[in-house]
Amino acid sequence: MPVTLPLMTKVPSDPDAQKLLTALPSLEARLPGKEHAVAFLRRFLRSKDLHRTIYIYRKLVQLTTMRTSADFAVSQAADVFCSIRYVTDNPLVQELLQILSTPHLQALLYCYDKVTNHDFEPKIDPIPLNVDEDEAAVKIVRLIKNNEPLGATIAVKDDDEGTIEVARVLHGGAADRSGLINVGDEVHEINGVCVRGLTPDEVVDILSRITGPVTLKLTPSLKTTLQGSRECKTRVKALFDYTPEDDDSIPCPEAGLAFTRGEILHIVSQDDSTWWQARKHGDTKNRAGIIPGKQLQERREMLRRLAAKAEAERSETRPISPCHNSPRIPRQKRLRKTMYHAIQNGEYDTEAVPTYEEVELYQVKPYALRPVILVGPPGVGRNELKRRLKASNAGHFEEVLPHTSRPIRPFEIDGKEYRFISREEMQADIIAQRYAEYGEYKGNLYGTHIDSIQAVINSKKVCLLTPHTQALKLMRTSEIKPYIIYIRPPSLECLQATRSVSLARCTNSDTEDTKLFTTEELQDMIDSGHKLEERFGHLFDYVIVNADLTDALRELILITNKIEREPQWVPIGWCQ
């Protein structure tokens, strides 16, 4: 027959807690600006868990006498275990050993010892009495420090006096979880050791060598508020790589958070505009780390670009000519066919410094599938991948027909290979910024119209595009919502092996003849790929290395299926 235990359905209200609740309104009136603290205290005093804990505590205190069948049951159980553990031929002894080694029984015996010996009073270390009279109010904070850092950075507050203060409290760390250490608190002692006059590195070294209880003697900051401790919900996509160990200006490299371009970061605090606090998305167990703020990173990147530009100018050398007037070297013939222009974009936007992009999860709608854009250096195989991807499901993928001002030829059909319009109409749409990219070849205009892209989207098909990289910024809008895949060339050795086996050929833009790739052309492909990643890599959503065309196609099919089923991180403006 099962045993039914009585359940306490109604939690008794503690009278002392009720008195404190009654006094809160007068306390709130005397502490302007502390409304959040009083509200937290009110919720705490009303919680059922607190009232249950006080109820159990009062019941234990009332037990002045208790019949005990054994003193120190934990030690006696350990003695029994040690006495019989060598008896291996008796199954009953083995069963008893297993019972004695279970954590639940050990915890039960531990609680039994604590209750029978009335060892349930909280232990609070006495406050030191040798405090100078002219000192400000001091608080003693005691934490248990395991292998994790304290979760706070420190700095020198006054060089003349040598005072140390808490510069920031990292969200999720031991200091933050305690709720007792705040930004601006002055640190006087650590486990009885005076830290006045020490450098921050010396203080960090003291803390790093401590394991177990840590007692801090602090002077509370007068500027402490609860507003700054609230965790924000901003998610950003990192647009650059960051390694704290390589950053000489970071306040504490051990507290830094390393990340790579494309990772999603949860910004938990922007109280310090120079150094933010962040976690990697999905990581809720670890404390937050510090990363450079947006303004700091922009300033450092601009200084790096200026330094690189100055270095390039210094390295340039002018050839010495025996003639005063050197003959003019003719420029290489420009190939108008490959000269596409992105509206309001140069080779790359020198003013925009990629740092962080605020993002949000977006679920693709079945009636508005995201276009897939393939970019990469010439010859890497993006057009071949696009052709094979379309052939894998011709009814699902669709290419965009380009517009042209060229006269239609007798064997051509408007709307099949091109959409033929007048030059005046095409120029008017170019001025109105309705072309994602355009160019001129042999006196005729060619271009990709934004309305054509939108027409494929409205047909509930996946639009496939292989535009010039300069056109990405115009296409990457909330209207189109593209998914950009970069096709990266493999190493030179891999290119030479795979392209020679498959007899891959490149097209001469001047004569439109084809020929096998040379080693110099393959190296140019790799170098062009590096430049593309450096300038536009922050716009890429995914990277596929085209070492083997079959493997690259398989990966491309998988990722295109994935973006139709699973939510994706997109700029926050696309979800509004």
Side-chain angles (χ1 to χ4, degrees):
M1 180 177 179
V3 179
T4 304
L5 298 177
L7 299 177
M8 186 173 59
T9 58
K10 185 176 180 180
V11 180
S13 179
D14 184 74
D16 293 337
Q18 292 297 327
K19 291 179 182 179
L20 291 175
L21 281 170
T22 307
L24 282 183
S26 60
L27 180 65
E28 187 174 6
R30 288 184 293 173
L31 296 175
K34 299 291 184 178
E35 293 82 4
H36 293 280
V38 176
F40 170 79
L41 188 57
R42 182 178 290 108
R43 290 194 301 271
F44 175 73
L45 293 174
R46 288 177 176 173
S47 65
K48 294 182 179 179
D49 293 338
L50 176 65
H51 289 271
R52 288 193 183 100
T53 304
I54 297 176
Y55 176 80
I56 296 172
Y57 173 78
R58 293 187 185 280
K59 288 294 184 181
L60 290 173
V61 172
Q62 293 174 3
L63 297 176
T64 55
T65 60
M66 179 179 293
R67 295 177 58 188
T68 60
S69 58
D71 293 330
F72 304 106
V74 172
S75 61
Q76 291 193 13
D79 293 340
V80 172
F81 184 91
C82 294
S83 300
I84 66 174
R85 62 178 176 174
Y86 298 108
V87 180
T88 58
D89 55 349
N90 191 329
L92 297 178
V93 173
Q94 295 301 316
E95 183 180 0
L96 180 58
L97 288 173
Q98 184 178 3
I99 294 174
L100 291 174
S101 61
T102 56
H104 297 86
L105 180 64
Q106 294 175 3
L108 177 62
L109 296 177
Y110 176 81
C111 293
Y112 175 84
D113 286 343
K114 288 291 184 181
V115 173
T116 55
N117 291 282
H118 292 80
D119 189 14
F120 41 77
E121 291 286 346
K123 290 182 173 59
I124 302 176
D125 293 338
I127 298 178
L129 300 177
N130 54 345
V131 180
D132 298 338
E133 294 181 357
D134 56 348
E135 283 190 355
V138 173
K139 62 180 178 181
I140 305 299
V141 177
R142 186 168 187 176
L143 305 175
I144 302 299
K145 180 177 176 291
N146 298 320
N147 295 326
E148 66 169 330
L150 186 61
T153 62
I154 57 176
V156 177
K157 181 179 180 181
D158 192 329
D159 291 332
D160 296 333
E161 298 182 1
T163 54
I164 299 292
E165 71 171 0
V166 178
R168 62 181 56 80
V169 177
L170 302 181
H171 282 256
D176 178 54
R177 295 196 301 269
S178 71
L180 302 173
I181 301 177
N182 302 292
V183 175
D185 289 352
E186 292 184 13
V187 184
H188 296 285
E189 294 180 2
I190 299 176
N191 280 4
V193 178
C194 180
V195 298
R196 185 182 293 271
L198 300 182
T199 64
D201 291 338
E202 291 173 334
V203 177
V204 171
D205 183 61
I206 293 174
L207 287 170
S208 64
R209 288 187 276 107
I210 298 176
T211 301
V214 180
T215 303
L216 303 174
K217 179 181 176 182
L218 307 171
T219 298
S221 172
L222 299 177
K223 300 179 180 180
T224 301
T225 62
L226 293 181
Q227 294 285 351
S229 63
R230 290 185 297 175
E231 183 174 306
C232 64
K233 303 297 182 182
T234 304
R235 265 74 174 179
V236 299
K237 176 183 177 182
L239 305 182
F240 64 101
D241 299 333
Y242 181 68
T243 305
E245 291 76 11
D246 299 336
D247 189 352
D248 297 332
S249 61
I250 187 171
C252 180
E254 293 80 8
L257 177 67
F259 56 83
T260 57
R261 183 169 61 188
E263 285 193 277
I264 304 300
L265 306 178
H266 175 194
I267 306 298
V268 298
S269 175
Q270 294 175 310
D271 296 336
D272 185 351
S273 60
T274 304
W275 295 101
W276 294 353
Q277 295 187 34
R279 294 191 189 95
K280 292 186 179 181
H281 177 70
D283 183 7
T284 57
K285 297 182 179 179
N286 297 325
R287 61 169 174 81
I290 57 177
I291 62 174
K294 182 179 178 65
Q295 295 180 356
L296 172 62
Q297 183 60 25
E298 287 178 346
R299 182 168 61 252
R300 294 201 295 195
E301 178 62 19
M302 291 303 297
L303 291 175
R304 186 195 66 82
R305 290 184 182 182
L306 291 174
K309 182 178 179 181
E311 181 65 25
E313 291 176 353
R314 285 195 300 267
S315 63
E316 289 182 357
T317 57
R318 299 184 63 181
I320 301 175
S321 173
C323 305
H324 292 288
N325 298 319
S326 300
R328 183 178 179 84
I329 300 175
R331 292 184 178 181
Q332 187 178 2
K333 182 179 179 181
R334 297 177 181 271
L335 301 177
R336 303 299 295 275
K337 181 178 180 181
T338 59
M339 287 189 61
Y340 288 93
H341 308 276
I343 300 172
Q344 294 182 345
N345 286 297
E347 191 173 8
Y348 64 95
D349 194 347
T350 56
E351 297 301 325
V353 177
T355 55
Y356 307 102
E357 181 179 53
E358 190 171 356
V359 293
E360 188 175 344
L361 276 177
Y362 171 77
Q363 180 64 56
V364 177
K365 301 175 178 60
Y367 56 84
L369 300 176
R370 297 181 66 182
V372 174
I373 293 181
L374 304 180
V375 295
V380 76
R382 58 188 181 129
N383 287 311
E384 180 64 20
L385 284 172
K386 181 183 70 171
R387 184 187 67 80
R388 296 195 181 193
L389 178 62
K390 181 181 178 181
S392 67
N393 192 347
H396 188 64
F397 299 101
E398 185 66 40
E399 296 185 61
V400 174
L401 287 177
H403 285 59
T404 180
S405 63
R406 175 176 63 79
I408 189 171
R409 294 168 184 168
F411 57 86
E412 293 179 326
I413 300 175
D414 186 15
K416 187 175 182 182
E417 291 86 5
Y418 292 98
R419 296 191 183 278
F420 297 92
I421 60 175
S422 65
R423 186 181 183 90
E424 291 77 14
E425 184 180 356
M426 193 166 180
Q427 287 177 335
D429 284 346
I430 290 174
I431 295 174
Q433 301 184 3
R434 296 305 299 167
Y435 277 88
E437 60 176 353
Y438 64 92
E440 185 174 3
Y441 178 63
K442 292 184 178 181
N444 298 311
L445 294 174
Y446 296 83
T448 303
H449 204 288
I450 295 178
D451 291 346
S452 300
I453 300 175
Q454 194 62 49
V456 177
I457 297 175
N458 295 338
S459 66
K460 300 181 181 179
K461 294 183 179 181
V462 177
C463 181
L464 299 180
L465 297 159
T466 53
H468 193 281
T469 319
Q470 295 176 9
L472 289 182
K473 201 166 186 181
L474 186 69
M475 290 184 175
R476 197 171 180 269
T477 63
S478 60
E479 182 182 7
I480 299 177
K481 297 183 179 67
Y483 190 89
I484 303 173
I485 301 176
Y486 173 65
I487 309 300
R488 177 189 293 166
S491 63
L492 179 61
E493 293 76 13
C494 183
L495 279 175
Q496 289 175 330
T498 56
R499 268 50 176 183
S500 60
V501 171
S502 60
L503 299 178
R505 310 177 74 87
C506 65
T507 302
N508 189 310
S509 302
D510 203 6
T511 62
E512 299 192 3
D513 295 333
T514 60
K515 61 183 181 65
L516 295 176
F517 283 97
T518 64
T519 302
E520 291 76 12
E521 289 169 337
L522 294 177
Q523 185 60 52
D524 289 343
M525 182 195 306
I526 295 175
D527 295 340
S528 298
H530 290 161
K531 292 179 180 178
L532 286 180
E533 286 196 81
E534 180 182 356
R535 296 168 181 169
F536 304 101
H538 59 282
L539 302 178
F540 302 156
D541 295 303
Y542 195 78
V543 176
I544 295 177
V545 180
N546 189 13
D548 180 81
L549 192 60
T550 303
D551 293 340
L553 177 63
R554 185 182 300 110
E555 187 176 1
L556 180 59
I557 293 175
L558 289 176
I559 193 63
T560 52
N561 291 335
K562 182 179 179 180
I563 63 177
E564 296 179 25
R565 300 190 311 267
E566 301 178 6
Q568 304 293 322
W569 292 101
V570 300
I572 193 168
W574 293 10
C575 300
Q576 297 176 355

